[in-house]
Amino acid sequence: MAFDFKKEYKELYLPKGRPEILTVPPMHYITVSGQGDPNEAGGLYQQAIQLLYAVAYTLKMSPKAGYQMEGFFDYVVPPLEGFWSQGEGGAIDYANKAAFHWVSAIRLPDFVTQEHLEWAKETAARKKKLDCSPVTFRRVEEGLCVQMMHLGPFDTEPQTVAAMNAFLQAEGYENDCSDARWHHEIYLSDPRKAAPEKWRTVIRHPIKPAGDAAGSRG
């Protein structure tokens, strides 16, 4: 049976509908960075997702292409994730989507290296007729975070974020979103198949002890 990150690491992918604090371990991702409205039809964000999935599935199916990776095991491609910012300070105005800076991401199994990624990019580019050069290998160290499952459309996320911030205040922590530590989302629903009110999105924010100017950098 294929290894499923969501099932094996439920604490990272299946939080409850209430805030909880956790320390997120370092992880490797393939990423594409950009700026602009993610809802723009055919825009950079939509193109980034296409590239990520092309490369992610090339890596997953590498044995069928005769490419060997040491330590390879069969796995389910992890869900799409996104890191979001609108500049210094970390505050997000959901009504100003054109101002978003984003890093679209898919987690990698630990056995995937930069060398393997370069092979996958070249292979996907050749087979899919895509320019996969924007896809990069990235190590992310989020560290101390708060997270919660958000149910519903993306535009109602501020309600969930408000609940997370109230929880942090009661627990002696504060939000540490900044130009270095970004708002993080993990998408567990396919918007093409589920109604918006049923979308499930993990929302994760970096945090620090209240009053700690330095915070805990990831």
Side-chain angles (χ1 to χ4, degrees), residues 143-189:
L144 190 64
C145 293
V146 63
Q147 68 179 16
M148 180 176 171
M149 184 71 77
H150 172 72
L151 183 63
F154 302 133
D155 285 344
T156 63
E157 285 185 10
Q159 301 169 20
T160 297
V161 171
M164 291 164 63
N165 288 338
F167 169 79
L168 290 177
Q169 184 176 15
E171 295 295 319
Y173 292 90
E174 61 187 27
N175 192 298
D176 194 30
C177 283
S178 65
D179 56 347
R181 307 180 77 200
W182 291 16
H183 171 99
H184 184 183
E185 300 179 355
I186 305 174
Y187 309 107
L188 301 180
S189 301

Side-chain angles (χ1 to χ4, degrees), residues 1 3-4 15-16 41 69 77 82 109 115 131 139 183 186 213 218:
M1 182 177 295
F3 184 93
D4 190 332
K16 297 178 173 59
M69 289 186 277
V77 171
E115 179 182 352
D131 176 10
R139 176 183 170 92
H183 171 99
I186 305 174

Side-chain angles (χ1 to χ4, degrees), residues 30 55 112-121 135-137:
I30 50 172
V55 173
V112 177
T113 67
Q114 178 72 58
E115 179 182 352
H116 300 146
L117 175 58
E118 293 306 319
W119 168 84
K121 289 167 60 175
V135 180
T136 61
F137 184 94

Side-chain angles (χ1 to χ4, degrees), residues 13 66 75 84 87 92 95 103 112 157 160 166 176 188 204:
Y13 297 99
Y75 62 96
W84 300 85
I92 289 180
V103 178
V112 177
E157 285 185 10
T160 297
D176 194 30
L188 301 180
R204 183 182 296 160

Side-chain angles (χ1 to χ4, degrees), residues 35-58:
Q35 181 179 359
D37 187 344
N39 296 326
E40 179 186 353
L44 291 178
Y45 182 77
Q46 302 298 327
Q47 295 174 37
I49 293 175
Q50 181 184 20
L51 295 180
L52 287 176
Y53 276 111
V55 173
Y57 276 96
T58 298

